[in-house]
Amino acid sequence: MMKRGFAMMSVSLLALIPAVAAAQEPAGSSSPAAAGQDGVGEIVVTAQRREQNIQDVPISITAISGDALTEVGIRDPRDLSILVPGLSSQAGTSATTTSLFLRGVGIGDFNSNTTGAVGVYVDDVFLGANAGKLFNVFDSEGIEVLKGPQGTLYGRNTTAGAIRFSSRKPTDAFSANAALSYGRFNEVQIEGGVGGPIAGDVLKARVAGTYLRRDGWLLNRVTGNKLNDLDMWAGRAIVDFTPNSDILIRAIVHGGQNRGGARQFQHRGSGIDFAGNPNFADGVPLDGLGYADTDGDLNAGDYDIEGQERVNVFGASLTASIDMGGVSLTSISAYEQVRRRTVEDTDASPNNVLTATYVDRPQQFSQELRLQSKDGGTVNWIVGGYYFHDKLVTESAFDILRVFRDPDDLLGTLDPVNSIGNFAYPYTQKTESWAAFAQADVKLTDRLTLTGGLRYSVDSIDFDFHSFFDDVIIVPVLDFAGSKTFKDLSWRAALSFQATDDLLFYASSSKGYNSGGFAGGSSSDPAQLQPFRSEKLYAYEAGFKSDLLDRKLRFNAAAFYYDYRDLQVFVFDTSGVLPVQRKLNAGNAELYGLEVELQAQPSRTFNAFVNASLLHARYKDFTALAADDYSGNKLVNAPEVAISAGFSVTQPLPGDSALRLRVDGSLQSETFLTPDNVPANRVKPYGTANVRLSWLSRDENLELALWGKNITGTRFVTYVSPVVTMDQINYNDPATYGVQAVLKF
């Protein structure tokens, strides 16, 4: 029944195509309907470090404009899956951290020292800290999602791809915009920016900010309070100094805070007691204390701890671009820091079985230099170097089985042998990376272009780890120090053929690399902290990009094959009392798939899109802990089918105002959240839908809208983690709806 329903929904969405892009409007471009034009507009991207029409770039790219981000309600990278099939996220232990997956490639490790397979860049600055990636989607000029290894042009080498956020920059004339939204759960979101010249053409600036607060939607039946609330803000200032037409110096400062609640989970008993014996009541699996949440209400739970999260983010960058005639030089210097403290009810129950406190203090400095030729010649080239330094200090701890302890006799009930006590595992990790890269496009003929690139990377990691029980007395458990250097040569080769002005064929081969390192979870055995190896991905892709019917229809498609070797996999070791987070290398995996993007603008008042992804992703060789063989299993977060579709229709009104209706949705087949592919950690196929009805003034500088996100109220699992005789389960948010006013000056 589920498969048939999924197929019917897929056909329904595909039926949207007589016309199939406002949702996929280009970064930095205006809406076709707003511009009063027929046909899909030109999308300009800078994926290859120079401005190009997206249809001329031999890479699979999805570009989304800042206006579309506002319309769809995208707040951070996790929401992009609404518009980008094949991009998914796995929410971990925090409201501000996530693991991203692209085409089935990703690492579901929520620990702070994890470098994801999907690189996140804001204004060309790579963001290493997980929590720092979710504060930057405001006052946005647009987003580019690059699929496949990005090993020759981008700061940190990544195996899955890259997401590039661009802030709105200072304008030559005064400009301002604002958006105010109120919705379900008393959600208030304010976003705005203002900019313009300060001293003629020499000095320009822009200041922008956002504020988001929302009451909780999850009832704590123990206290009567509502949990999973939001309370965050962020701000950014940009100053452009152009002493002459050949020099641009851009300074950016940004910061933000989160003071909302930590994520509260649903509880699922494992059906065993603390001795490992079966523990059920009327067929319902219980945890070790006999508790089970049996009402099936995803909007309620029983919690003895109401988690809180405190996150502070600060960053600054200085970019200098110098035009030296035939070549240009670009320098990007950046500093980023995050301060996070999260207290979490890890067991998601009314008993104090396990309470986690996560404390992270990452800070990074990066420097990039690029020298590149001017466009238009037979050979366009770029060479550069990149340096990255990151220091991460953590002071995290698990308070284990406090329910068994007498508060008047802490010393007497402290039992490290049976893992009863406050288990702290602070560590410091220092990462230093160097890279040199080069890429060139050679025009073999007027229509045939060969692209080649190389990148040599060196990543050195120093890891200093300690664990101990620290109630009343300190009981040392483990002291570990390790150091490892990883080196790699990545490459890319592509051939593109411009068959006509509106049709491009391309084929490419590339290698991506993600350096090895050390696991960042709680550990009591040196074997758990031995370094894992670098993962390498060999990618082969062929595709075409076309504009048809006098540019009224855009049809792009790509087929790819990935040979994924030594891939890094996050697993839980449940052999002891406390599940231990482990990072392993699977032998290799095989992935292949097909992606199709259809966008259309058949008239000035109607546009639509359908994007689809078909994926096969399997472990070919993976022997995990306790000699478990996962070979043949599906990769984590790798749906075989993913579809997104939507349309926008504008109805003119008397007085030259207009009504606009926008509907979009996404469908996804089943996925697994763990590599063992056990049924308990399976995510069923699901679909979501969003809607927005708005009134626009004559010049579209004022928009009043009614909006709804996840209007079907679809609930699905985004994360599962074993605890102690139980599992914590995270679900997506329920349906939300509200009103919004958007102003532009």
Side-chain angles (χ1 to χ4, degrees):
M1 180 65 71
M2 178 63 72
K3 290 183 178 179
R4 187 171 68 178
F6 185 84
M8 292 176 65
M9 286 189 291
S10 301
V11 171
S12 298
L13 282 177
L14 288 170
L16 287 170
I17 316 175
V20 195
Q24 305 261 144
E25 274 306 298
S29 73
S30 61
S31 165
Q37 66 182 32
D38 290 324
V40 179
E42 180 177 297
I43 302 175
V44 177
V45 296
T46 56
Q48 297 195 113
R49 303 304 193 189
R50 63 180 188 272
E51 292 187 353
Q52 293 176 283
N53 183 341
I54 193 172
Q55 295 297 95
D56 297 334
V57 181
I59 302 174
S60 294
I61 308 173
T62 298
I64 306 166
S65 72
D67 289 341
L69 297 177
T70 300
E71 288 185 12
V72 182
I74 291 176
R75 294 172 177 161
D76 59 55
R78 295 174 294 193
D79 296 329
L80 285 173
S81 57
I82 298 172
L83 300 178
V84 186
L87 176 66
S88 59
S89 64
Q90 184 167 311
T93 60
S94 166
T96 55
T97 61
T98 190
S99 299
L100 297 172
F101 295 74
L102 191 54
R103 289 179 170 175
V105 179
I107 304 170
D109 185 356
F110 57 81
N111 287 296
S112 303
N113 69 336
T114 295
T115 299
V118 180
V120 176
Y121 297 82
V122 176
D123 296 322
D124 283 337
V125 175
F126 172 79
L127 300 182
N130 283 334
K133 298 173 183 176
L134 306 186
F135 282 88
N136 294 282
V137 187
F138 67 95
D139 198 47
S140 178
E141 194 171 73
I143 295 177
E144 298 173 13
V145 180
L146 285 64
K147 303 173 184 178
Q150 305 300 318
T152 58
L153 288 181
Y154 286 85
R156 295 300 301 276
N157 209 331
T158 52
T159 46
I163 301 176
R164 304 180 66 238
F165 295 86
S166 296
S167 307
R168 284 195 173 101
K169 305 304 188 298
T171 48
D172 294 332
F174 174 81
S175 64
N177 61 278
L180 173 63
S181 178
Y182 178 80
R184 189 183 184 191
F185 309 118
N186 291 318
E187 177 182 306
V188 175
Q189 184 170 18
I190 303 171
E191 178 181 325
V194 58
I198 297 175
D201 296 332
V202 176
L203 195 64
K204 296 178 290 185
R206 183 172 181 86
V207 178
T210 184
Y211 172 72
L212 171 65
R213 71 160 304 279
R214 186 189 69 189
D215 294 340
W217 50 263
L218 180 66
L219 173 66
N220 185 356
R221 291 183 289 246
V222 174
T223 65
N225 296 330
K226 291 295 187 70
L227 310 179
N228 284 347
D229 58 301
L230 300 174
D231 186 2
M232 60 177 60
W233 66 265
R236 182 191 303 117
I238 304 177
V239 177
D240 282 358
F241 175 58
T242 52
N244 59 56
S245 60
D246 296 328
I247 298 176
L248 168 64
I249 299 175
R250 172 171 292 152
I252 302 178
V253 177
H254 70 90
Q257 282 188 346
N258 176 36
R259 292 295 184 267
R263 197 69 175 179
Q264 301 281 161
F265 307 98
Q266 290 290 302
H267 174 282
R268 181 175 67 193
S270 299
I272 58 173
D273 61 19
F274 290 108
N277 301 311
N279 191 20
F280 291 82
D282 298 326
V284 177
L286 308 177
D287 66 17
L289 294 173
Y291 170 77
D293 186 351
T294 59
D295 66 358
D297 186 356
L298 301 183
N299 297 327
D302 304 303
Y303 310 101
D304 65 308
I305 299 293
E306 297 181 344
Q308 291 293 318
E309 190 161 68
R310 299 289 180 264
V311 181
N312 296 284
V313 175
F314 171 79
S317 65
L318 184 66
T319 300
S321 299
I322 304 174
D323 187 338
M324 299 184 294
V327 298
S328 61
L329 176 67
T330 301
S331 169
I332 304 175
S333 308
Y335 173 81
E336 299 283 337
Q337 73 171 33
V338 179
R339 300 290 183 264
R340 178 174 79 106
R341 178 182 177 86
T342 301
V343 178
E344 170 195 278
D345 186 4
T346 306
D347 56 75
S349 79
N351 304 307
N352 199 338
V353 178
L354 186 65
T355 301
T357 301
Y358 299 108
V359 179
D360 313 325
R361 297 196 301 273
Q363 57 184 18
Q364 69 174 63
F365 170 77
S366 60
Q367 174 64 55
E368 182 168 357
L369 286 173
R370 301 196 303 262
L371 185 68
Q372 64 189 92
S373 64
K374 286 292 188 67
D375 293 343
T378 303
V379 179
N380 294 319
W381 54 266
I382 179 172
V383 296
Y386 181 78
Y387 172 76
F388 177 85
H389 181 273
D390 176 82
K391 181 179 180 181
L392 169 65
V393 178
T394 74
E395 295 177 359
S396 300
F398 290 132
D399 194 350
I400 308 168
L401 298 174
R402 185 166 288 275
V403 67
F404 290 151
R405 302 169 65 186
D406 181 352
D408 298 323
D409 185 17
L410 288 177
L411 183 60
T413 56
L414 173 65
D415 186 0
V417 174
N418 291 302
S419 296
I420 298 177
N422 191 66
F423 183 77
Y425 58 103
Y427 63 84
T428 298
Q429 177 174 293
K430 297 179 181 179
T431 302
E432 192 168 49
S433 299
W434 299 84
F437 57 89
Q439 181 167 303
D441 294 336
V442 181
K443 292 184 177 180
L444 303 179
T445 70
D446 288 342
R447 295 189 176 274
L448 187 64
T449 301
L450 175 66
T451 299
L454 291 173
R455 181 188 191 89
Y456 184 71
S457 303
V458 178
D459 296 284
S460 298
I461 300 175
D462 294 323
F463 189 68
D464 184 20
F465 180 95
H466 306 275
S467 61
F468 49 85
F469 288 89
D470 66 349
D471 275 304
V472 183
I473 61 173
I474 294 178
V475 181
V477 176
L478 175 63
D479 293 306
F480 177 89
S483 181
K484 189 75 173 178
T485 297
F486 305 90
K487 301 178 181 180
D488 186 77
L489 179 65
S490 300
W491 43 263
R492 170 177 170 79
L495 193 64
S496 58
F497 177 63
Q498 194 76 53
T500 70
D501 291 344
D502 295 323
L503 177 61
L504 173 76
F505 293 97
Y506 69 91
S508 67
S509 174
S510 59
K511 175 193 173 186
Y513 148 87
N514 196 353
S515 78
F518 299 87
S522 62
S523 299
S524 58
D525 185 339
Q528 299 165 350
L529 295 176
Q530 295 305 308
F532 51 86
R533 301 184 300 277
S534 302
E535 65 176 16
K536 300 173 183 179
L537 190 147
Y538 297 86
Y540 308 91
E541 181 171 325
F544 65 84
K545 298 184 177 185
S546 63
D547 287 328
L548 308 172
L549 304 177
D550 195 24
R551 301 180 69 92
K552 288 182 171 58
L553 177 66
R554 177 161 293 166
F555 179 25
N556 298 341
F560 61 90
Y561 177 85
Y562 287 173
D563 179 6
Y564 199 3
R565 302 180 186 178
D566 282 335
L567 63 157
Q568 297 162 8
V569 182
F570 182 65
V571 299
F572 284 92
D573 182 353
T574 58
S575 59
V577 176
L578 181 69
V580 176
Q581 305 146 19
R582 299 285 300 274
K583 198 84 162 282
L584 306 175
N585 289 99
N588 55 68
E590 181 181 61
L591 301 88
Y592 54 84
L594 174 68
E595 294 174 340
V596 175
E597 293 188 359
L598 289 165
Q599 306 176 40
Q601 181 82 32
S603 71
R604 299 183 181 186
T605 59
F606 185 83
N607 51 70
F609 75 94
V610 171
N611 297 333
S613 169
L614 303 177
L615 176 67
H616 170 96
R618 296 288 192 277
Y619 299 106
K620 291 183 64 177
D621 178 17
F622 185 11
T623 302
L625 301 171
D628 291 330
D629 188 2
Y630 296 157
S631 302
N633 285 6
K634 293 182 179 180
L635 268 66
V636 172
N637 268 47
E640 292 184 346
V641 179
I643 300 171
S644 65
F647 69 88
S648 174
V649 58
T650 302
Q651 176 61 50
L653 297 175
D656 291 332
S657 63
L659 286 178
R660 179 174 294 163
L661 174 66
R662 174 193 169 82
V663 179
D664 61 69
S666 61
L667 292 167
Q668 179 175 296
S669 62
E670 72 166 12
T671 58
F672 289 92
L673 297 176
T674 52
D676 53 15
N677 285 190
V678 296
N681 297 337
R682 171 180 175 264
V683 180
K684 298 178 181 179
Y686 65 86
T688 62
N690 311 298
V691 63
R692 177 186 176 90
L693 177 65
S694 59
W695 173 86
L696 299 99
S697 64
R698 178 179 181 179
D699 55 8
E700 297 198 7
N701 285 340
L702 173 62
E703 180 180 9
L704 303 177
L706 301 173
W707 58 269
K709 292 183 65 176
N710 188 21
I711 57 175
T712 57
T714 303
R715 308 300 297 276
F716 53 90
V717 178
T718 63
Y719 181 75
V720 174
S721 174
V723 188
V724 183
T725 71
M726 66 198 72
D727 295 328
Q728 60 172 220
I729 307 177
N730 192 24
Y731 286 85
N732 69 310
D733 288 358
T736 55
Y737 43 80
V739 296
Q740 185 183 47
V742 180
L743 299 93
K744 301 176 183 178
F745 305 96

